Amino acid sequence: MKKNIIYNIFFIGALLVGTTLFAQTVTGTVSDSNGPIPGVNIIVKNTSKGAVTDFDGNYAIDNVDQNAILVFSFIGYTTQEVSVDGRTVINVILIEDSQALDEVVLVGYSSRKKSTLTGALAVVDVEGLAKVRTSNVAQSLQGQVAGVQVASSSGAPGGNIEVTIRGVGTIGNNTPLYIIDGVPSRDISFLNQSDIQTMTVLKDAAAASIYGARASAGVVLITTKSGKKGKMTLEANYFYGIQSATNLPTMLNAAQYMDVTEKAWNNTFTGTNPYTADKGRADFGDTDYIDELFESGSSQNLQLSASGGSDKVQYLMSLGYYGENGIVVYNNDKYQRLNFRTNINAQLTDKFKVGTNLQLSYSIQDKVPSTGESLIRFALLRAPVIPVFKDVSDPTYSAEDPFTDMPFFTSTGYDQGLNRTMYEMVGNPIAQAYFSDDRTTRFQTFGNIYGEYKLMKDLTFRSNVGIDLSFYHDKTFNVNYGDDDGGGSAIDQGLGRRNRPNNLGELRGEAFTFTFINTLNYFIKILFLK
């Protein structure tokens, strides 16, 4: 009996020793095409045993059976199952899952799985943005996100774009707050559309808990593209487009205009109708000022980029040019922008990482009057019986100013046979387009420098310094033109009634924003059990 007990104990001990001999510690690194991935879940299949990769993508699991299967999973990547097969070191490269990536969104200073969020937010389809080429990234948001209204105040090349989230909520600034790579801004007109990686719109008031009162009108989070590990990749993209005005109103021709004004006068006054007597005048024209004002415009965009890197350093550099010629005649409505951007990330030591994302932008905008006494307003109001140009035999004609101004003006004053109020006295929009000389230049530096230090295995400190510095110069020269109506001061006698006398206006300014952000990130190990 004692011998049987001793044999049984020996047999059980042998089993335990054998089981221990076939169990081992498995270590390794999990990475993707960009480098190590922290926070990856690794579990031994059909068990509760597992681990989470640290900041450098390393993991270790004790007492793993040599025939076990390890399951590697991370949001945004395809789950992989790897057989141990007696190995003690298993390195895995995860592959991005395009469908799963749609579920990961940037929120404040971190990223979350979309299904876990309760706030009102929207992820912009960046690939869809590429189908709409605009000078301002904000304009490409039009029709992309529910509850976001995008409007252009003028439609001019490089003109202001108004973005409203959840409608107008204050009599103050209703412009949303833009966060570009962690740096706040109220304007994104300097961004190149091709440089954007992701864009998320935070629409509810919960955004104020992160960014404060500045977020009262909503927040748009933008991340730009960065370099990836691998050989240098060169890319070049170019497009050219043609623009034209559509759905324009049909204007009355000269005969129709005279018929309407004749009828309007008969409905208002009695006596001899001056418009009836004026029909068929030899000096009448037949002008469609809307048609004369607009022509075909064009836009073009060139983007060059180089990216690559090693295990320690990744880089991306891009150079972009955008040019747009507007649809108004005489080519005085133009916009040109030159962008240069560099992104560098360097792993200096096992614990210390630094990087920078810097962008330089230079733009030139030539403008024509688009508000108040605008070209379009004048084109809609000016009588079609007035020609665009004066006849060369007209005593008031000059090669420097060949345009008509006051209706049927003569050198002895306004035509005495007509009432001054018979024909609209607005200016000639074609002359206004020709003499426009209003240029704004802007140079902007925008970007950040960061340092990241791993204090402990799962605790990381990050310090980020951001800068938004811009210089602008607006120069407007208003040249004198038009007919002499006898007005003005004594020194200005003989000058035309428009811009009397010549005048020059200049505005120079500087805007500077400095941001300093420090954060602590702690990776909590949570195992997903089956």
Side-chain angles (χ1 to χ4, degrees), residues 79-96:
T79 300
Q80 293 189 28
E81 296 186 0
V82 180
S83 298
V84 175
D85 292 332
R87 293 177 292 173
T88 58
V89 178
I90 299 177
N91 298 323
V92 174
I93 299 177
L94 294 183
I95 301 173
E96 292 182 351

Side-chain angles (χ1 to χ4, degrees), residues 102-107 110-114 117 121 123 200:
D102 291 337
E103 300 177 353
V104 182
V105 296
L106 183 65
V107 181
S110 62
S111 59
R112 305 271 186 88
K113 192 172 181 180
K114 187 176 180 180
L117 298 173
L121 60 81
V123 180
T200 306

Side-chain angles (χ1 to χ4, degrees), residues 344-346 353-356 448-452 462-465:
I344 301 175
N345 298 291
K353 180 180 180 181
V354 296
T356 181
N448 69 305
I449 300 174
Y450 75 90
E452 205 169 76
R462 181 185 176 99
S463 184
N464 185 86
V465 177

Side-chain angles (χ1 to χ4, degrees), residues 8-247:
N8 289 336
I9 294 174
F10 177 78
F11 179 72
I12 293 172
L15 284 177
L16 292 174
V17 172
T19 302
T20 303
L21 290 175
F22 285 105
Q24 57 194 7
T25 298
V26 178
T27 62
T29 302
V30 182
S31 60
D32 64 359
S33 58
N34 294 322
I37 308 175
V40 177
N41 294 290
I42 307 104
I43 63 171
V44 180
K45 192 172 183 178
N46 298 325
T47 71
S48 60
K49 188 182 299 181
V52 177
T53 58
D54 61 17
F55 185 76
D56 296 316
N58 300 319
Y59 72 93
I61 306 177
D62 297 326
N63 299 324
V64 180
D65 188 272
Q66 64 176 359
N67 296 318
I69 296 176
L70 301 183
V71 181
F72 297 80
S73 62
F74 190 64
I75 297 175
Y77 293 84
T78 302
T79 300
Q80 293 189 28
E81 296 186 0
V82 180
S83 298
V84 175
D85 292 332
R87 293 177 292 173
T88 58
V89 178
I90 299 177
N91 298 323
V92 174
I93 299 177
L94 294 183
I95 301 173
E96 292 182 351
D97 187 342
S98 59
Q99 294 181 347
L101 282 174
D102 291 337
E103 300 177 353
V104 182
V105 296
L106 183 65
V107 181
Y109 301 106
S110 62
S111 59
R112 305 271 186 88
K113 192 172 181 180
K114 187 176 180 180
S115 60
T116 65
L117 298 173
T118 58
L121 60 81
V123 180
V124 179
D125 180 12
V126 177
E127 293 183 359
L129 295 183
K131 301 176 183 178
V132 182
R133 299 290 184 173
T134 62
S135 60
N136 193 324
V137 175
Q139 190 172 0
S140 61
L141 286 173
Q142 193 166 23
Q144 291 281 339
V145 180
V148 177
Q149 296 177 329
V150 180
S152 174
S153 59
S154 66
N160 292 330
I161 303 298
E162 298 177 0
V163 178
T164 307
I165 300 176
R166 305 187 315 273
V168 177
T170 174
I171 59 175
N173 191 347
N174 284 281
T175 302
L177 177 66
Y178 300 99
I179 305 294
I180 304 103
D181 294 323
V183 182
S185 178
R186 287 289 184 183
D187 176 46
I188 55 174
S189 61
F190 61 91
L191 284 179
N192 192 318
Q193 190 171 324
S194 302
D195 286 333
I196 295 179
Q197 180 71 37
T198 64
M199 186 181 295
T200 306
V201 180
L202 308 182
K203 297 187 287 185
D204 63 0
S209 64
I210 303 174
Y211 300 105
R214 295 178 301 172
S216 60
V219 179
V220 179
L221 303 174
I222 298 174
T223 58
T224 56
K225 295 178 180 178
S226 59
K228 296 182 179 180
K229 175 184 174 182
K231 294 182 179 180
M232 177 185 288
T233 301
L234 300 176
E235 292 186 6
N237 294 292
Y238 176 79
F239 87 89
Y240 181 87
I242 298 176
Q243 307 169 4
S244 61
T246 59
N247 298 324

Side-chain angles (χ1 to χ4, degrees), residues 511-528:
F512 177 71
T513 302
F514 178 80
T515 306
F516 185 39
I517 300 175
N518 297 289
T519 57
L520 281 172
N521 295 317
Y522 182 71
F523 295 95
I524 301 176
K525 299 180 180 180
I526 300 177
L527 300 181
F528 295 94

Side-chain angles (χ1 to χ4, degrees), residues 372-415:
E373 292 192 349
S374 67
L375 299 173
I376 297 178
R377 176 175 177 269
F378 285 1
L380 291 171
L381 295 177
R382 193 162 174 85
V385 296
I386 307 174
V388 175
F389 299 97
K390 293 179 178 179
D391 191 279
V392 293
S393 61
D394 191 324
T396 63
Y397 174 88
S398 68
E400 294 77 17
D401 183 8
F403 303 96
T404 60
D405 181 27
M406 297 175 65
F408 312 111
F409 181 79
T410 65
S411 57
T412 58
Y414 190 78
D415 191 335

